[in-house]
């Protein structure tokens, strides 16, 4: 029974779901904006928020944890060198979802998942 299980399955087995979310979060960190379905974006948002929170505290342990959650050293460097300091004073809420409407191919609700600007950048 799946009582109180909140993780969305997204039509994949566990290994494929984890790979997809890691790819999505890595692209989000490198590009700072991705277009995807609403279900995927909501699942990736929680992972991205946890990774950015770890990026605020630059220790060897947190670097290794983040390296296990994203692909490539470029994404790890960006989390600790840019995103961690950018959101140092922000207590969460690093991402934003902007609805685009139904996607043409399969009518899934498309959204833009993006990182919010830091407080000093005009918010």
């Amino acid at each position: 029974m799946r009582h109180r299980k909140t993780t969305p399955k997204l039509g994949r087995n566990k290994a494929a779901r984890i790979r997809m979310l890691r790819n999505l979060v890595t692209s989000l960190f490198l590009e700072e904006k991705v277009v995807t379905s609403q279900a995927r974006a909501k699942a990736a948002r929680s992972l991205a928020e946890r990774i950015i929170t770890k990026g605020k505290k630059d220790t060897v342990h947190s670097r290794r944890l983040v390296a296990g959650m994203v692909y490539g050293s470029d994404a790890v460097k960006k989390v600790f060198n840019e995103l961690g300091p950018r959101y140092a004073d922000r207590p969460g809420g690093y991402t934003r979802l902007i609805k685009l409407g139904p996607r043409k191919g399969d009518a899934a609700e498309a959204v833009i998942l993006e990182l919010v600007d830091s407080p000093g950048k005009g918010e």
Side-chain angles (χ1 to χ4, degrees):
M1 288 181 272
R2 292 197 75 242
H3 296 186
R4 297 178 61 100
K5 305 290 186 205
T6 58
T7 305
K9 289 190 178 264
L10 300 172
R12 288 167 169 74
N13 62 28
K14 183 178 179 181
R17 184 172 55 247
I18 290 171
R19 282 193 305 265
M20 182 200 58
L21 291 175
R22 285 177 68 183
N23 274 321
L24 195 59
V25 169
T26 302
S27 296
L28 174 67
F29 291 152
L30 294 178
E31 305 296 325
E32 298 198 9
K33 181 187 290 189
V34 291
V35 178
T36 185
S37 69
Q38 186 172 9
R40 287 180 185 177
K42 285 183 176 182
R45 176 170 44 178
S46 65
L47 182 61
E49 301 266 342
R50 282 183 271 156
I51 291 171
I52 293 174
T53 301
K54 284 181 181 33
K56 289 178 168 185
K57 186 175 167 186
D58 192 1
T59 63
V60 174
H61 181 63
S62 57
R63 276 188 181 265
R64 287 178 178 164
L65 288 174
V66 170
M69 291 187 223
V70 297
Y71 290 120
S73 60
D74 293 338
V76 175
K77 288 176 189 172
K78 185 158 184 180
V79 167
F80 286 97
N81 296 338
E82 292 180 33
L83 301 179
R86 182 193 304 180
Y87 298 119
D89 297 331
R90 191 178 186 104
Y94 315 114
T95 58
R96 168 188 306 135
L97 290 179
I98 301 171
K99 292 185 179 183
L100 296 176
R103 204 162 42 192
K104 185 171 179 134
D106 59 355
E109 185 70 29
V111 297
I112 296 174
L113 175 64
E114 66 181 4
L115 298 174
V116 298
D117 294 333
S118 62
K121 283 190 158 182
E123 270 195 354

